[in-house]
C-alpha cells in the first residue's frame, strides 16, 4: 500500500515509474531483461507487477516472443523503446 502525505490542502502519493523493456527495473535495457522475459515465456520464473508491465511491450497482457524481439531490438539499438 502507498503512504499518503498531507501538506495543507495538497495530498502527495508516491508512484512507481517504469520503462517498457526494463524488466529488471535497473534503469537499463540489457541481457538481464531478455533473460527474465525468456524465463517467463518458458514458465520458469513468472513476471508480475511492474516487471510484467515492462515486459508486455505491445500491451497484449501476454508476454510472448513478440515482446522478447522488441526488447532485443531495443538493446541492439535497432528500434528504441525509450
Amino acid at each position: 500500500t502507498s503512504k499518503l502525505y498531507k501538506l495543507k490542502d495538497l495530498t502527495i502519493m508516491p508512484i512507481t515509474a517504469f520503462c517498457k523493456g526494463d524488466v529488471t527495473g535497473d534503469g537499463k535495457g540489457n541481457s538481464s531483461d531478455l533473460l527474465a522475459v525468456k524465463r517467463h515465456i518458458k514458465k520458469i520464473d513468472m513476471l508480475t507487477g511492474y516487471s510484467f508491465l515492462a515486459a508486455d511491450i505491445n500491451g497484449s497482457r501476454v508476454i510472448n516472443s513478440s515482446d522478447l524481439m522488441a526488447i532485443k531490438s531495443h538493446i541492439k539499438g535497432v528500434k528504441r523503446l525509450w
Side-chain angles (χ1 to χ4, degrees):
T1 62
S2 297
K3 186 174 181 178
L4 296 176
Y5 299 92
K6 295 273 185 185
L7 243 143
K8 284 194 173 187
D9 296 330
L10 182 66
T11 301
I12 302 169
M13 184 175 76
I15 62 166
T16 301
F18 64 93
C19 293
K20 288 284 189 180
D22 181 17
V23 181
T24 60
D26 63 359
K28 305 171 193 167
N30 56 33
S31 59
S32 297
D33 301 304
L34 281 178
L35 181 60
V37 172
K38 285 179 185 178
R39 292 177 61 83
H40 177 88
I41 291 170
K42 292 181 178 183
K43 299 189 185 326
I44 296 169
D45 192 12
M46 303 307 284
L47 298 171
T48 60
Y50 291 105
S51 294
F52 185 94
L53 294 173
D56 184 18
I57 304 302
N58 59 13
S60 66
R61 297 183 182 167
V62 175
I63 298 170
N64 55 33
S65 60
S66 296
D67 301 302
L68 183 69
M69 295 308 294
I71 294 170
K72 190 173 186 177
S73 292
H74 173 76
I75 292 168
K76 288 184 169 186
V78 175
K79 186 175 180 186
R80 304 298 281 170
L81 297 171
W82 37 273

